[in-house]
Structure formats: structure tokens, C-alpha cells
Amino acid sequence: CLTNRTMSARRSVAVVGGGAMGQYIGARLATAGHQVKLLLRSDYEVVQNEGIRVTSPHGNLHVYPGDNFKVFKDSRDIGPSDWVVCALKSDAFLNGNEDATKKGGTAKDLITPCLGRDTRVLSLLNGIGIDEIMADHIVQDPLRVLGGLAYVAVSREGPGEIKHVFTEKMTIGHKMDDSNMVDEACALLKDCHVNPQATSSLIRSRWEKVAWNFPFAGMGVVAGGVPCGVLMADPAIRSLTKNVMQEVFQTANADILHHYDGDEEVIPEGFVEDLWKMSQSEKLEEYLPSTVIDYLAKKPVEKEFIFSEPVARADRLGLEVPHMRMISGLVDMLTTKSEKQQDRTVLATGESKHAVTSLVGRNSSTASVGIRREPLSGHRGLKKDMYGRGFSSSAATQKSDVGEKVLEQYDSEQTRTFYRTVMGGGGNDIHFGVFRRKDDDVKKAAGNTTDMMLNLLNWVKPIEMTSQVLDLGSGHGGSAHKMVSRFQNHITCFNIGKQQNIMNLEEAKRLGIEDKIECTVGDFNFGLEEKWTETFDHVFSCEVLCHAADKPALLSEIRRVLKPSGVFVFSDIMGADGASEELLRPFTDRNATTMMGRPSQYKYQLEEAGLREVAYVDLSSNLAEFFQLMLNQVQNNYEDLQSEGLPDEYLDNWIRSLSDRVSAQKEHGVFAWGIFAAVKD
């Protein structure tokens, strides 16, 4: 049994985690008279020599290393302490960091040397599931585990430079809800200007914090790395953010009821509205959550406890949380790519060609989330994009020529084999891919794209068993098979390649879903079937619109066949806004493509067609890597492709073409690729 201590006594405190919060708490505890031992990584040399400077509304302070404030590189040199304050980020908490100690290690490696027989551990990490890990695997005693939820805005401005913006409170709870232990922790922090407040339920308080972090940190990343004020200023994004918050609230109460087997600790009904009002504070207009700051800095992002675990608990509880699932998936995809990509910058800072992601509505302020749309001039016969280039439907290549080129490119036996091997990795997802993991290959990346598009389609408007879906340019049917297997809906596959359609239906029969799929042979350059007017709940198209000779006309046809409130989700390979046509010509000459579209053109053309854009996910940063893997596929499978009847000249031309694409994308960023979602109002 733990013994009570005199609450005002001077304590030895090991602070593990030297980010903004760790340095702030360490400096405040030392100023309050406690003996602080701070574990640092990159800031060690600066803090050891110059101390920590804190600017704060409560008065600035400068704490130098001395008798009651010491800094360490290795927690093994700290030794057992009365308290351990864990201010690690979740990535370091779970996976360790090579700079954290001489040998590196996880939170257990860092914290264990600081534990004595009665050491209390206070975790300041955000999210769900931390206390269970701390109690079961690190401290191995739930009676000594506490958690703190900081509604305290602090940021690291530089090595040893901490900016404290404001404090609302720091909620303190105990793993087993021991009020005496909570009081002791509050006493420890009472002079730290964090306004410690006791909670009778740690899990409830954690969910209350996640109810803000999930929507605002998640949407901040998804919108391209923007502050809270930008999210609140845009009507469409503000509405989506609140929907996410509401789903977190519902998941929270279900999880709390499961935890306590009763309703005495649930979050009250008025909580969401109160939290929403707090989020509109002027103090938060320019505030970037630490998750967003890490994303912009291309650092590991706290997503396991804030995003992944809440969604996992919703799944275990049987809850439908489409907004949470979508945001969590996008954050995972974007941040995983951000951690791999070394040259990513975000347009919201005025430094990049592409926004990572923008979610906009018809009347939204798109400039605020990184998409700059300037007034378009010209008459209906000749429109201009944001760079003043003309694009006219009357100037399109002859429609029949485009159709013939598409058949030649995709629907012979040899070319079907080629694309399935090189672009699909042997699977039926034959399109560009999203890299979510370091070891994703062509097949996995292409499958990720299909999954992401289906998630987006289902997120904008749920796909029901009764939904009628049109797959425009369905190819071998890989996307259709995944959709029907997942949602049990009916799908019409419209595709120019007769043999591809036969293969589609054969695979559907093998999967036992042939009654849900029908194939229609047709060329969308000559319009869609008249009988389809207002037939479909959803239209899905993956990298097909690049083959449209008249894109505005096709978009109008898509609107015609959609039911009111129907949804259109499509991806396409495009030229980057501002890219040189000369650099793009090798691609357009080789592929059955007329002039490549541009993101800015599609945004304008969707609006002109009467389709309200609700989402655009820019995936251009995946292209160079995917081009390279396609090149590797050709080279590694050269002899097998020869044996399938593909001529050497054909394969050699592809090797040259893909080599050029890799260079052009890496050096000039000439291609764009992304997913659009639009609604027929």
C-alpha cells in the first residue's frame, strides 16, 4: 500500500520528454522549488549552457541548470525519483527514439531507471489507451499511474525557447480514480501556472480532450496544416469538424459505459456545444495543435492514441463513425507519407506548388486552406484557368480517335498483361498508388488508392445495399469487386474494352457477386445512355477522365445520370498547375490522352457542370515513387513479359518513358494526381 506524503514537501521529479510541454513543466517545477531532472534530446547542449527561457502571460522566466534543475541525456543517470512526469510524444512512447538515450528505447526504457518503490508516474500524453500501457507494461502497478490532460497552449520556438500562450486548466486523474493520489498530483503542480483540476474519472477526461484533439488536430492536418481559425472560418470545414466532434462524443460515452458498467460517469449532453464555443475563442485563431506542427515539420505525428485507438474502440463497440474513420485514415496516409517525404512543403505557408489536402464547399474561402482560385475570365466557348490558358471543348481531339487509342493501349491481350503486371503488381487495381507504409509495393499501393476512394465515396454519402453505382471506365473491375464485396450494392460497369468486361464478369462469378454487377460496353466520349438520367446514387471513376476528349461535356453527363444529392468521386492523372506542356508531351503522346487536365481546371469545370466540390485530396507526392516502381516492374519482369508476346521495342520504349517520368517529376513536379469528391445539389 502506498503511503500518503506531505503535499507541500519538496519533491524530486524526473521529467521525461523535452518538447514544449516537458520543458515548460520542468522550468515551472524548478521555479516552484522542486528538484527537477529533465531528460533532453536535441536541446541538451543549449539548455545545459543557456537554460530554458519561458515567455508567458504570467511573467517570463529563465531557469539555469543548478542545484534544483539538472539536465540529462540518459535517464539511467537520473535515478529513482518521487515523481516521473512523462511528456513524450506517442511515437517516442511506443517506438522509442535513437536520441532519447545512449542506446535509444521505448517509454519503458526511458522511465524504468527513474522508478523507485513508491514513484508516482504522471503521463501528459493526449489520447486513449496510454494509462493501460503505463500501468500494465511500464510501472506494472495501476495504483501509481496518473494522467494529465493539458488545456495549456505552449510551443517550442527554438532550443530552450518556450512560448506559453494561455492556460485554461490541466485535468489530473488517477488510473483507479483514487482521489487522494489526484490531490497529491494537483499539489505538485499548483505553482506551475497550469491550473491543475482534479477529475473523478480519468478515462472520461481523456475522452473529453480527444473530443477536441481528434477534430481540430485531424482536420488541421487534412486541410494542409492550418490553424484552428482557418477551420472555423470555412463553413464546410467547420460543419465537418463539428460532425467529427459529435462522433467522438458518442464513442466516448459508449466506451465509458463499457468501462464502468454504468452511466454515472458519462459526458453530459451539453459538452459538445460548450467545447464548440470554447473552440471559437480568438486566442485559438492562430493556434496550431502540436499534431499539426509536427506534420508541417515532417516529424512523427501523434496518431495512435488520438486517432487510431478511438476508431478501434468504436469498432469494438459496434459503432458507425464514418467521419472519424475518414479523418483517421487521411491523417494516417498523409502523415506516413509526410514522414517519408523530405521535400514536402504546404501551400498554406506560401511555399509549395500543391496543397496536401483541401476540403471546400461552393461558398468556402478556398484561399484560406491553400488553394488559390483567381477570377476566371472569358466566354462560355473559351474559358481560362488560373494561369490564363484557354481550354475549349471545341478544340478537343476527335472522339473516335481517342476511343481507338484507348482500346489499343489497354484491351489487347499483351497490353492487359503488361498493365496488370507493371501498374497493378499482378492484381486488378490497375492505377497509381498511395504509399502508406515503407514496404508498400505496386500492388499494395494501388490497392490503397481503391480503398481510399471507396472510403471517400462512402463518407460523402453512405453506400447502402440498395445504392445504384456507376463505375465509369471500370477496366478489369477491381474497384467494382471491392465495392460490392464490401457494401453489397448493385454496380453498373461502363467500359470501352469488351475483353476487360468479360474478365470483369468472370472474376465477379468467381467471387460469387455476379448478380450485383452488370457490364455495358461504351465510349463515354459519345455520352452516357439516355435511360440513365437520375439513375445513380454514386458515380465512381479511377484515372479515366484523362481519356475524355471533352471533359466539361462528360462532367455534365455525369451530373445528368446522378440522382439529386448524388455523389461523384474520381481520381485522375493531371498536369500540375503551371507545368510546361513541353515536359508533359512525352506522356500525352504515349498515352490515349488529349490535353491533360489541371487541378484548377477540374475545380472550375465541376462548378460549371453543377457539381459542388466537397473534397480534394492531393496525392501528387506519391507519383515519383510509383513511376520508379513501375520502371522496376518492367525491368524485373522483362523476360516474362517477352514470353507473353510483348515486343522488345514496346518494353524498351516503356523503360525510356518511365525513366523520363521519374526525372520530370522529381526535378520539376510536372504531374499532379489526386481524388475529387463532388455532390449534385
Side-chain angles (χ1 to χ4, degrees), residues 399-469:
K399 298 176 182 179
S400 59
D401 290 345
V402 176
E404 290 174 4
K405 289 181 179 178
V406 170
L407 286 172
E408 180 184 340
Q409 182 173 343
Y410 294 109
D411 205 35
S412 71
E413 184 176 353
Q414 289 79 13
T415 56
R416 287 195 302 273
T417 299
F418 176 84
Y419 277 98
R420 179 171 285 186
T421 300
V422 173
M423 207 170 188
N428 285 325
D429 295 302
I430 302 173
H431 43 245
F432 297 115
V434 175
F435 297 96
R436 299 187 63 198
R437 300 287 183 267
K438 293 180 180 180
D439 58 351
D440 283 351
D441 56 13
V442 165
K443 184 177 181 179
K444 180 61 177 175
N448 289 340
T449 302
T450 303
D451 293 341
M452 188 174 182
M453 292 182 68
L454 293 180
N455 287 340
L456 182 58
L457 190 70
N458 183 55
W459 168 59
V460 180
K461 182 177 183 177
I463 305 172
E464 311 288 351
M465 290 181 66
T466 55
S467 296
Q468 294 289 328
V469 180

Side-chain angles (χ1 to χ4, degrees), residues 71-118:
V71 293
F72 297 84
K73 285 184 176 180
D74 191 333
S75 62
R76 292 169 295 184
D77 297 329
I78 292 176
S81 304
D82 296 323
W83 283 88
V84 172
V85 176
C86 178
L88 293 167
K89 298 289 183 128
S90 63
D91 181 72
F93 184 87
L94 292 170
N95 305 316
N97 187 292
E98 291 180 0
D99 294 330
T101 70
K102 291 176 182 177
K103 292 184 177 179
T106 62
K108 183 172 185 177
D109 299 319
L110 303 180
I111 292 172
T112 300
C114 306
L115 297 178
R117 186 179 56 129
D118 291 339

Side-chain angles (χ1 to χ4, degrees), residues 111 130 188 195 221 225 255 263 290 293 339 357 377 409 579 612 660:
I111 292 172
I130 297 115
L188 180 76
N195 188 23
V221 169
D255 189 51
D263 61 1
S290 60
I293 293 172
E339 290 158 15
T357 304
S377 60
Q409 182 173 343
R612 176 170 57 87
D660 290 342

Side-chain angles (χ1 to χ4, degrees), residues 20 38 67 73 155 159-160 176 210 215 220 279 294 301 308 312 316 351 359 379-380 396 414 431 450 454 534 550 585:
L38 176 61
D67 291 340
K73 285 184 176 180
S155 59
M176 307 302 292
V210 169
S279 303
D294 290 340
V301 166
S308 302
R316 290 196 291 270
E351 298 172 357
L359 297 172
H379 54 80
R380 295 190 65 83
Q414 289 79 13
H431 43 245
T450 303
L454 293 180
E534 295 194 348
D550 188 339
R585 187 165 294 117

Side-chain angles (χ1 to χ4, degrees), residues 539-594:
V539 175
F540 178 96
S541 181
C542 186
E543 287 163 36
V544 172
L545 270 66
C546 57
H547 302 303
D550 188 339
K551 293 177 177 62
L554 178 58
L555 291 173
S556 295
E557 278 288 273
I558 290 168
R559 186 187 188 280
R560 177 178 67 81
V561 303
L562 277 170
K563 294 178 181 178
S565 301
V567 175
F568 176 38
V569 167
F570 73 98
S571 66
D572 204 16
I573 181 71
M574 301 166 281
D577 284 316
S580 164
E581 289 294 336
E582 188 66 28
L583 289 171
L584 292 170
R585 187 165 294 117
F587 181 88
T588 54
D589 287 349
R590 179 164 190 84
N591 291 267
T593 306
T594 59

Side-chain angles (χ1 to χ4, degrees), residues 41 200 206-207 278 315 413 433 581 589:
R41 298 184 299 175
S200 60
R206 284 205 175 278
W207 273 114
M278 185 274 286
D315 287 342
E413 184 176 353
E581 289 294 336
D589 287 349

